[in-house]
Amino acid sequence: MKPSSLYIHIPFCASKCYYCDFNSYVSTGEVMDRYLDGLEKEMELLSKELPWEPLKTVFFGGGTPTMFDVKQTERMMNILNRFFRLAEGAEISVEANPGTVNLEKLRVLKEGGANRLSFGVQSFHDPILKKLGRLHDSLTVYHSYEKARQAGFSSINLDLMFGLPGQTIPIFEDSLRRIVELQPEHISAYSLKVEEGTPFAIWQERGKLQLPPEEEDLAMYQLLMDTLEAHGYQMYEISNFAKKDHDCRHNQVYWRNEPYLAAGAGAHGYVNDVRYVIQSSVPGYIETCLSGKRPVVEREEIPAEIQREDTMILGLRMIRGVEHARFKERHGVDMHNVFGREIERFVQEGLLTDNAEAVCLTKKALPIANEVFSGFLIS
């Protein structure tokens, strides 16, 4: 399969949030200009060295891609369009933080082909935003969202988090009320995971990070599912909800374990059954790119058995599950020949359904999905 999706990493933020372990840095406009010099060269090399089809999805992630000023934003979009052909109707997503956009910048994104925005809201409760290290407040969310609508964006995602320090069920319920009032086309909602090396991890180790108990975290997840379903959002993945025809097509490439290109410091790609990792250091990345080399620091060929595991574990995140026909087409073998024992066990436990079309998580399994996923690690 030739990839028809591209992820582009923009590793700049106004500040580092206390829970974030993504490859991101606080930097200057001059460094950002140099980064775009490097990205331009990498995109040229990437377009020539790896196979690809006209792109059906592109995702600018970070970091915060909207940290670029208007001129840099225009250049970012021009780089994409110069080196890659886009398929008709391609989905082009850009991550943004509230407070990092203005009308001119949003119009430049739109004119460059972007047609989907994803705002990192996380909470509408200002004291919790401060505890997360976020720079915006709830009022800024409304202002940025309104500007995006004025610029003509008709597909907007808003991110929420739950299980946060200081968060109660009523506080989370209020954030849900506010988000459905805005009526974005897509909502992503994740339970906080304390990642190693973050300030949150250090504070947790020292006993200074007080998180809601597990039963409240589960209650928030149930409240999330019930509330969004009642307001017309279809749950299509364990953390993602969308109105009709607004599922994120790019993320489904990952969940289906399909190939994708990647560029930008710290990005990961997957082409010809090989996963590759781009140099994460921004100065090193720029230097390597400008020397005329792709800044790949790691390549790993994925064995067939691991590919099958990935297809099951990633695919079960989707509510429609892993389709039998797609699995056989992808791996040349029937799903039951590989995972029959595991599927039967989870069906008996009421955690999976297995029908003629697909194997799917049950509602009972959604809060403990990781336990199901781990059961398919058999290689």
Side-chain angles (χ1 to χ4, degrees):
M1 293 175 62
K2 290 184 180 180
S4 59
S5 293
L6 169 64
Y7 174 79
I8 302 170
H9 193 73
I10 308 298
F12 303 112
C13 279
S15 69
K16 189 83 170 178
C17 298
Y18 304 145
Y19 57 86
C20 178
D21 71 334
F22 294 147
N23 190 47
S24 61
Y25 308 92
V26 178
S27 199
T28 64
E30 182 181 354
V31 171
M32 293 183 199
D33 282 333
R34 290 282 289 165
Y35 184 80
L36 285 168
D37 291 341
L39 181 65
E40 183 170 8
K41 188 62 181 176
E42 187 197 4
M43 292 278 276
E44 179 184 4
L45 295 169
L46 179 64
S47 68
K48 293 176 180 177
E49 291 184 16
L50 289 183
W52 53 276
E53 299 281 356
L55 300 179
K56 297 177 181 177
T57 73
V58 178
F59 198 104
F60 289 92
T64 309
T66 49
M67 278 299 297
F68 285 151
D69 62 25
V70 172
K71 185 176 179 181
Q72 291 164 337
T73 299
E74 183 176 26
R75 186 179 175 196
M76 177 182 78
M77 300 307 296
N78 286 341
I79 289 171
L80 168 66
N81 289 296
R82 186 178 315 140
F83 296 114
F84 286 91
R85 297 190 312 278
L86 301 176
E88 186 176 352
E91 174 193 270
I92 304 179
S93 302
V94 180
E95 286 188 334
N97 275 336
T100 64
V101 296
N102 56 41
L103 200 52
E104 185 181 5
K105 188 186 298 185
L106 288 165
R107 283 174 173 159
V108 165
L109 283 172
K110 195 81 166 57
E111 290 166 4
N115 50 24
R116 184 177 183 274
L117 283 180
S118 180
F119 283 108
V121 174
Q122 317 314 1
S123 176
F124 284 86
H125 192 67
D126 291 345
I128 286 180
L129 289 171
K130 288 183 179 179
K131 289 181 179 180
L132 296 177
R134 305 291 287 179
L135 296 183
H136 72 269
D137 58 18
S138 57
L139 186 60
T140 307
V141 174
Y142 290 104
H143 289 161
S144 296
Y145 184 85
E146 182 181 359
K147 289 186 179 78
R149 292 300 194 200
Q150 288 176 356
F153 282 92
S154 57
S155 188
I156 298 177
N157 170 67
L158 300 182
D159 278 351
L160 279 182
M161 297 178 72
F162 57 93
L164 300 174
Q167 190 179 49
T168 62
I169 292 173
I171 286 174
F172 183 59
E173 188 172 22
D174 181 65
S175 284
L176 286 174
R177 178 186 62 80
R178 292 177 183 231
I179 204 169
V180 297
E181 284 177 352
L182 285 174
Q183 288 293 295
E185 287 70 31
H186 191 286
I187 297 170
S188 298
Y190 306 93
S191 176
L192 173 69
K193 182 181 179 183
V194 178
E195 301 286 358
E196 186 178 348
T198 62
F200 268 12
I202 296 169
W203 298 339
Q204 187 176 58
E205 194 175 309
R206 295 174 180 172
K208 295 183 178 180
L209 184 69
Q210 301 301 316
L211 301 177
E214 184 178 348
E215 59 270 21
E216 287 192 16
D217 189 86
L218 289 173
M220 290 181 201
Y221 187 46
Q222 188 63 53
L223 178 64
L224 168 77
M225 292 187 287
D226 293 343
T227 301
L228 296 189
E229 181 182 6
H231 286 84
Y233 291 90
Q234 181 178 3
M235 184 180 191
Y236 71 99
E237 191 267 349
I238 58 176
S239 299
N240 286 274
F241 307 77
K243 292 185 177 180
K244 183 175 171 54
D245 298 326
H246 285 279
D247 297 6
C248 179
R249 286 154 47 197
H250 184 86
N251 285 343
Q252 289 181 72
V253 172
Y254 304 147
W255 300 326
R256 290 174 179 161
N257 195 27
E258 295 174 349
Y260 57 93
L261 301 168
H268 294 220
Y270 181 39
V271 181
N272 292 333
D273 301 330
V274 173
R275 296 198 186 278
Y276 66 88
V277 181
I278 303 296
Q279 191 169 2
S280 60
S281 160
V282 168
Y285 167 84
I286 295 170
E287 182 180 356
T288 303
C289 291
L290 295 183
S291 73
K293 301 176 184 177
R294 282 185 60 223
V296 176
V297 293
E298 184 180 331
R299 289 182 176 87
E300 180 187 7
E301 186 167 354
I302 308 301
E305 60 270 23
I306 302 297
Q307 292 182 43
R308 293 192 291 263
E309 289 178 5
D310 289 345
T311 295
M312 289 301 298
I313 292 169
L314 294 168
L316 284 172
R317 294 185 62 91
M318 297 184 292
I319 300 306
R320 69 168 169 259
V322 183
E323 298 159 338
H324 293 290
R326 183 181 291 273
F327 187 95
K328 190 166 187 177
E329 180 184 5
R330 175 77 167 77
H331 300 290
V333 63
D334 188 275
M335 191 192 306
H336 288 99
N337 290 345
V338 184
F339 297 111
R341 185 186 307 171
E342 290 73 26
I343 292 170
E344 183 179 358
R345 176 188 134 207
F346 287 123
V347 168
Q348 290 178 352
E349 293 176 5
L351 300 176
L352 288 180
T353 59
D354 181 13
N355 57 47
E357 298 295 325
V359 173
C360 320
L361 292 176
T362 63
K363 286 188 176 181
K364 175 184 174 182
L366 291 173
I368 56 170
N370 285 336
E371 295 180 23
V372 179
F373 301 157
S374 64
F376 289 92
L377 294 172
I378 61 174
S379 61

